[in-house]
Amino acid sequence: MILSVDSSAVTASVALTDGEKVIKSKFVNAGLTHSETLLPMIKQVMQGHTFDELDAIALTVGPGSFTGVRIGAATVKGLAFNFDIPCIAVSTLEAIAYNFTDENAVICAVMDARRLQFYNALFKVENGNVKRLCADRAISLEDLKKELVHYKKVIIAGDGAKLCFNNLGLDNVMIADEDRIYQNAVNVSKAAVNKEKISASSLMPVYLRLSQAERELKLKKETKI
């Protein structure tokens, strides 16, 4: 039994699964209010079950919103420490790809990194199997466009999907349906299958690049030198 949690973007979701069976799940798209919504959602999903029943807690560790990723990591680490439960780290981009196991296409998972740059990874989905084509990365729109032209069918999903699609102008690219455009905790649990279980202390956020505040501080230090 796995409790899966995502708060890495504007949406937040929690799911309790037992193998392929979804026991209960919750999904909200209410902006970055995860500090207020995440724990109540976990309590709702866990109603009728105890944390002692869990084999692991899976979490999207990023990339994504710096605040959202931190809140998710702090929440899960707290629960895992308290109840001595192992954790499973899942890429937010990989969780997005698992929305499309019924497709035969290349899934281009994109999260808005500002200034027409995206956190991105590509996945090939074929006959229900998801195969990663590249590592999670920060990439410009132009560089991503050069890669996507080589594929027959591409589906774009993630919180940066609309921005990316509207600026690509490629005939082989389509945008995901609204109900599959965001990652969700049910598919976090699917991505978590066969991944290594780690301790709560080893569960760390993945940002791919410095936050804006950290970049500005670094620039000030370099200017003084």
Side-chain angles (χ1 to χ4, degrees), residues 8-10 32 61-70 91-97 107-123 132 134-144 147-148 155-165 168 181 183 205-215:
S8 58
V10 293
L32 295 171
V61 292
S65 154
F66 287 83
T67 301
V69 169
R70 287 189 183 113
S91 159
T92 308
L93 300 169
E94 186 174 356
I96 292 169
I107 308 304
C108 177
V110 287
M111 303 189 76
D112 187 6
R114 310 301 178 195
R115 299 178 182 178
L116 285 183
Q117 290 195 332
F118 300 91
Y119 301 127
N120 164 257
L122 302 178
F123 302 85
R132 179 181 282 275
C134 66
D136 291 358
R137 60 200 176 168
I139 191 171
S140 69
L141 178 73
E142 286 304 311
D143 287 340
L144 181 58
E147 291 187 23
L148 296 183
I155 301 174
I156 296 185
D159 72 2
K162 293 177 183 178
L163 177 65
C164 185
F165 177 78
L168 276 173
I181 206 165
Q183 67 277 14
V206 175
Y207 298 126
L208 292 187
R209 71 179 192 184
L210 299 174
S211 68
Q212 182 177 345
E214 289 169 322
R215 292 197 302 272

Side-chain angles (χ1 to χ4, degrees), residues 51 85 117 119 131 140 147 202 218:
F51 286 98
I85 306 169
Q117 290 195 332
Y119 301 127
K131 179 183 178 182
S140 69
E147 291 187 23
S202 299
K218 182 181 178 182

Side-chain angles (χ1 to χ4, degrees), residues 53 58 63 85 96 106 114 123 125 127 144 146 154 160 190 193:
E53 296 177 65
I85 306 169
I96 292 169
V106 169
R114 310 301 178 195
F123 302 85
V125 179
N127 300 323
L144 181 58
K146 292 174 185 176
V154 178
K190 294 178 183 178
V193 173

Side-chain angles (χ1 to χ4, degrees), residues 15-31:
L16 182 64
T17 56
D18 189 352
E20 295 184 359
K21 178 185 177 183
V22 179
I23 298 171
K24 190 181 288 188
S25 65
K26 294 284 291 184
F27 179 94
V28 296
N29 186 358

Side-chain angles (χ1 to χ4, degrees), residues 99-107 124-129 153 155 174 177 180:
N99 288 358
F100 303 94
T101 52
D102 60 338
E103 298 278 357
N104 287 315
V106 169
I107 308 304
K124 182 178 181 180
V125 179
E126 192 170 34
N127 300 323
N129 297 312
K153 180 183 178 182
I155 301 174
M174 60 185 292
D177 295 334
R180 296 202 289 181

Side-chain angles (χ1 to χ4, degrees), residues 142-197:
E142 286 304 311
D143 287 340
L144 181 58
K145 184 174 182 177
K146 292 174 185 176
E147 291 187 23
L148 296 183
V149 295
H150 299 293
Y151 298 107
K152 183 178 179 181
K153 180 183 178 182
V154 178
I155 301 174
I156 296 185
D159 72 2
K162 293 177 183 178
L163 177 65
C164 185
F165 177 78
N166 290 338
N167 286 278
L168 276 173
L170 295 176
D171 293 336
N172 63 325
V173 174
M174 60 185 292
I175 193 167
D177 295 334
E178 193 67 32
D179 61 346
R180 296 202 289 181
I181 206 165
Y182 296 111
Q183 67 277 14
N184 66 76
V186 171
N187 288 324
V188 172
S189 70
K190 294 178 183 178
V193 173
N194 298 323
K195 288 191 183 298
E196 179 187 6
K197 293 178 182 178

